[in-house]
Amino acid sequence: MRAEKDGETLALVARLAATCLGGTGALVHQHDRAVGRLRLVAATGLSRESEREWADLPDDQDAAPAQALDRGRFVCVAGDGPGAGTAACTSLPIPGADGPIGVLTVLTAEPGEPDEVQRSLLQALAGWTGVHLGGAPASSTVSGPPAGAERSVQMGELTTALAEAVTSRDVVAAVAAYVLPPFGADGLVFQILEGGRLNVVGAAGYPQEFIDLLDGMPLAAHAPVRDVLRTRTPRFIEAKAEISRRYPTMRRVNEASPKEAVAFLPMIASGRAVGLCVVSFSRPRSFSNEERTLLTALSGLVGQSLERARLYDVEHARARELQRGLLPRMLPRLPAARAAARYLPAGRGEEVGGDWYDLIALSADRVAMVIGDVMGHGIAEAATMGRLRTAVRTLADLEIPPDELFSRLNDLVSELGEDFYATCLYAVFDPVARTCTYSLAGHPPPVLVHPDGTVHSPDVAPDPPLGAAKPPFETHQLELPDESLLVLYTDGLVESATRDADQGLVQLRQLLSRTAAGTVCFGTADEDADVRCLEELCDTVVSGLLPDHETTTDDAGLLIVHARCTAARDVASLDLPNDPRAAGQARQYVRERLGAWGLDDLVLTTELLVSELVGNVVRHARDPVRLRLLRSRSLICEVYDGSLTTPRIRHAGHTDEGGRGLQLVAALSRRWGARYLHDGKCIWTEQDLEPAQAAGPGGREREEVRSDDHPRE
């Protein structure tokens, strides 16, 4: 493992060296004095054949690496190197305690020697490589004062940190850690030029009031920065008095600044000045030629790193926004369910993921709950997640059971290609039957939290993931007590590099048992308080299971649903005969029940609705026939029969005697529809109720639901 890590580090050095000169490739050789050979230990940008040519060189060969080793200094050789196909080779020795211990070489497509800035960077890389190879301690020196050697080592470490930096924040942190200490600096500001203004993208060592003063300042108003960006040359100010003398218009900024000496360093990327790196000191100081050269060299490297990080920041923000746009911005507050959710993207991953969740209102106050995870990361996976969420909502609107929904969803995922798979949990909660019916496709089962804090996790085996499964899917069922919580999650919440899924599930159950029991979530009629409680519970679960989610490698999704069962007093049902008497009996039952519920103003409309629906059943369907009324936020009328025929609104001509019944139903109800059962169907309608007429949230009376109050679905 150590050897593999060393190889990666040296390969990084080679890439940085090639970038420094704009080269086509780079090599790191280590000197084997015992046999007089230069052994290749890292390379970048070369073909396998070229690497073999460079792999083992005599230390007295007439080649750039051997010459640099022999002379102990920079060597630039025009012409093609061994099998490299380049125009020039630039080599410099890697210092050690007792002389050079290797050579760093850069291959370039154009002839010419590196300039002073490039030489400084290459020397810093070579010095750091020497320490890494064990040839010289960090405090020793090959040439020059000890401070210079230490500075070279830290500059080499900076180049590594910048190469690994992903975000703008990473770049700022790297410069603060590796630039400020070796120079004795204590202030840092990064400013990017955008639309003629200087925007601060990172800072250290300054009060926020001063940063606010700088942020968004017009370039024309900041004379030192304007001069630096115009000439693309750094400016070193050794004391405040010098700024006041040279730039009198900067008096306000100068007086507000807590710093004395300042180095204004232009950041150049892609051939243009993108902004400024300001390194500052609390005391006046002078800058040696070496310090000026090294800081100038570093500003170019920092500019390239920051430009790359800024591009990442922009693209990553767009990808995150895409994913957030595909997830529900706000979960609905339904009569039978209130919910809260969390989505946590993988820590510092460069791509979005495919986790999603949803809460969908169905007929008869039933609720569909879904959570899923598209395997992999990237825009394609996020787009697939969006397609699946849309498909689930469309299929849920058809009121089909979970196993059939998964069969259709599996076909969709299979059509995307062999590389696309998704896990998913789809559940339907029936508040009248007090059951939750669900199917699993490669997904962990839900966790049920009882009002007394008891936590139950069903031990069921999921079907294979969507895209890999072969229908039929299994259907499972849970009995849900009133006021219980149903917790759905993706594997990224419970599984990590240090914890397997079973351990994470145990920890989740413990967290829920300790936190959920006795909270305001149970038993409150205040919707806002209920949702706040669920939000807090989500935060507790996330912080307990993922205390440092920025280090995670997988997305995590969490959906907590508070189930609110329907009270028996808000449900009424009646078996009807399959003959012409049924419509009259249904109207009589409607008058009685709506009168008992205080809904007398809806009697006439509801009589018309049930009369039409029951009449259609008698004419076109078959036994058994049943009427069910539900009082919730709306008045729900349902007529069940034993037929699977589909009711359709049709256009009736002026002379037709029938065909207008469903048009009447649509006109009298807020919405209507049909859902299919294993042995028939249900036609339902909904009518609006005034808040004073509606049933309390979840039906606050704790009556038991009679077995004949709900048909088996």
Side-chain angles (χ1 to χ4, degrees):
M1 181 65 71
R2 173 62 187 274
E4 180 180 348
K5 185 65 176 177
D6 289 345
E8 292 176 357
T9 303
L10 293 173
L12 177 60
V13 170
R15 290 197 297 273
L16 290 170
T19 301
C20 175
L21 293 190
T24 60
L27 313 100
V28 178
H29 284 91
Q30 191 166 10
H31 187 211
D32 187 343
R33 295 182 181 178
V35 296
R37 313 289 292 186
L38 285 168
R39 311 289 190 187
L40 184 65
V41 292
T44 184
L46 275 71
S47 65
R48 292 185 180 275
E49 293 76 14
S50 296
E51 285 190 22
R52 283 195 291 268
E53 293 287 340
W54 288 93
D56 188 10
L57 301 176
D59 59 13
D60 59 354
Q61 182 177 341
D62 187 21
Q67 293 182 34
L69 182 72
D70 180 58
R71 301 174 188 178
R73 58 180 174 80
F74 265 96
V75 171
C76 299
V77 177
D80 191 11
T86 57
C89 299
T90 297
S91 297
L92 70 157
I94 297 172
D98 300 318
I101 60 172
V103 180
L104 176 61
T105 301
V106 180
L107 311 175
T108 56
E110 300 292 335
E113 297 188 2
D115 58 27
E116 185 179 2
V117 171
Q118 292 170 327
R119 283 176 178 253
S120 179
L121 271 176
L122 289 176
Q123 285 175 334
L125 283 172
W128 180 75
T129 305
V131 174
H132 181 77
L133 291 175
S139 59
S140 68
T141 179
V142 178
S143 61
E150 290 183 27
R151 194 174 288 157
S152 293
V153 170
Q154 289 186 290
M155 293 308 99
E157 292 174 344
L158 170 66
T159 57
T160 302
L162 290 177
E164 296 174 348
V166 175
T167 66
S168 299
R169 186 174 60 179
D170 297 336
V171 174
V172 175
V175 176
Y178 294 107
V179 172
L180 302 191
F183 288 92
D186 53 14
L188 178 68
V189 178
F190 281 97
Q191 292 176 284
I192 294 295
L193 181 61
E194 295 176 316
R197 292 184 175 271
L198 294 165
N199 297 321
V200 177
V201 296
Y206 281 93
Q208 187 59 45
E209 295 79 9
F210 182 73
I211 298 303
D212 293 339
L213 176 62
L214 292 181
D215 195 20
M217 178 177 288
L219 177 61
H222 203 308
V225 176
R226 185 182 65 239
D227 290 350
V228 168
L229 294 182
R230 178 176 54 83
T231 61
R232 297 191 181 185
T233 57
R235 184 139 300 175
F236 299 92
I237 306 296
E238 299 184 347
K240 268 191 175 184
E242 183 180 348
I243 295 182
S244 299
R245 184 179 68 255
R246 299 175 63 174
Y247 302 105
T249 59
M250 296 299 297
R251 178 180 177 182
R252 181 186 175 198
V253 175
N254 195 30
E255 290 178 350
S257 174
K259 308 302 180 184
E260 290 287 340
V262 183
F264 294 101
L265 308 171
M267 295 189 297
I268 310 299
S270 303
R272 61 187 180 89
V274 297
L276 201 75
C277 173
V278 180
V279 178
S280 57
F281 307 79
S282 293
R283 296 181 180 180
R285 78 187 305 274
S286 60
F287 296 88
S288 66
N289 289 334
E290 179 200 1
E291 289 174 332
R292 291 172 183 250
T293 299
L294 195 52
L295 285 171
T296 301
L298 289 172
S299 67
L301 185 61
V302 170
Q304 295 176 14
S305 299
L306 188 62
E307 179 77 352
R308 184 187 68 245
R310 292 266 298 162
L311 290 174
Y312 163 80
D313 289 341
V314 171
E315 292 303 318
H316 198 53
R318 289 174 179 170
R320 292 290 188 215
E321 187 61 31
L322 165 66
Q323 190 164 44
R324 282 192 293 267
L326 294 173
L327 292 172
R329 293 189 177 275
M330 183 177 295
L331 293 171
R333 298 184 183 185
L334 305 175
R338 297 164 190 163
R342 291 291 182 272
Y343 166 71
L344 288 87
R348 285 189 27 192
E350 297 184 9
E351 299 173 321
V352 294
D355 288 18
W356 91 95
Y357 56 84
D358 214 342
L359 194 71
I360 307 168
L362 304 178
S363 62
D365 280 352
R366 296 175 311 126
V367 181
M369 299 163 280
V370 59
I371 193 165
D373 180 4
V374 177
M375 296 183 184
H377 291 82
I379 296 296
E381 284 73 14
T384 299
M385 175 267 285
R387 295 176 66 180
L388 292 182
R389 178 172 177 252
T390 301
V392 168
R393 293 191 70 88
T394 301
L395 294 171
D397 195 51
L398 298 177
E399 306 262 14
I400 59 179
D403 56 339
E404 184 179 344
L405 183 143
F406 270 5
S407 294
R408 301 191 186 187
L409 202 62
N410 184 67
D411 292 340
L412 172 62
V413 178
S414 298
E415 291 173 359
L416 297 177
E418 296 181 356
D419 296 332
F420 283 92
Y421 301 97
T423 69
C424 191
L425 185 161
Y426 181 81
V428 175
F429 167 52
D430 187 334
V432 177
R434 304 191 178 199
T435 59
C436 177
T437 305
Y438 65 96
S439 291
L440 303 169
H443 206 87
V447 175
L448 175 62
V449 184
H450 294 255
D452 62 0
T454 304
V455 178
H456 170 58
S457 180
D459 184 15
V460 296
D463 288 295
L466 300 171
K470 293 184 178 179
F473 289 86
E474 290 289 333
T475 299
H476 312 281
Q477 186 165 290
L478 277 174
E479 299 292 329
L480 259 62
D482 189 22
E483 301 286 0
S484 57
L485 301 180
L486 202 63
V487 181
L488 284 61
Y489 58 93
T490 61
D491 56 3
L493 183 71
V494 296
E495 191 173 11
S496 68
T498 59
R499 179 183 63 208
D500 63 31
D502 291 337
Q503 293 172 326
L505 178 57
V506 170
Q507 189 174 348
L508 172 62
R509 293 178 59 175
Q510 292 172 345
L511 272 171
L512 292 170
S513 180
R514 290 197 305 266
T515 310
T519 65
V520 72
C521 297
F522 299 114
T524 179
D526 186 336
E527 286 192 3
D528 293 334
D530 194 8
V531 172
R532 283 196 302 271
C533 171
L534 294 173
E535 296 285 353
E536 292 171 1
L537 185 56
C538 282
D539 290 337
T540 300
V541 170
V542 168
S543 61
L545 291 173
L546 301 175
D548 187 12
H549 72 83
E550 290 191 356
T551 64
T552 60
T553 58
D554 193 11
D555 300 334
L558 172 66
L559 176 65
I560 301 181
V561 180
H562 186 186
R564 320 277 294 193
C565 295
T566 304
R569 68 184 181 93
D570 293 321
V571 183
S573 63
L574 175 69
D575 291 327
L576 294 170
N578 189 10
D579 61 44
R581 296 174 301 163
Q585 294 178 14
R587 290 192 295 270
Q588 177 64 31
Y589 191 71
V590 164
R591 287 193 294 271
E592 294 174 358
R593 294 310 304 169
L594 267 58
W597 285 341
L599 303 178
D600 300 276
D601 56 332
L602 292 180
V603 169
L604 180 59
T605 302
T606 308
E607 280 186 328
L608 289 173
L609 287 171
V610 299
S611 183
E612 181 60 39
L613 295 179
V614 171
N616 280 342
V617 168
V618 171
R619 285 191 297 271
H620 305 296
R622 61 174 183 265
D623 290 339
V625 182
R626 171 175 286 200
L627 168 67
R628 186 170 78 166
L629 303 175
L630 303 177
R631 182 178 63 151
S632 179
R633 292 180 186 171
S634 59
L635 177 63
I636 302 168
C637 302
E638 299 177 323
V639 175
Y640 294 81
D641 65 65
S643 172
L644 295 176
T645 56
T646 303
R648 293 180 299 170
I649 294 180
R650 65 184 181 88
H651 180 73
H654 294 293
T655 59
D656 291 346
E657 296 182 1
R660 298 178 179 84
L662 290 181
Q663 294 181 28
L664 179 65
V665 169
L668 294 177
S669 58
R670 178 168 63 89
R671 65 177 189 141
W672 73 281
R675 66 177 183 272
Y676 295 89
L677 319 177
H678 69 284
D679 57 355
K681 69 175 181 296
C682 167
I683 310 298
W684 54 268
T685 68
E686 287 185 8
Q687 300 173 75
D688 289 325
L689 294 180
E690 296 295 331
Q693 297 174 315
R700 300 278 46 90
E701 293 187 7
R702 305 290 179 164
E703 302 178 41
E704 290 299 321
V705 179
R706 298 189 302 273
S707 61
D708 61 345
D709 279 341
H710 52 87
R712 188 173 182 82
E713 299 193 16

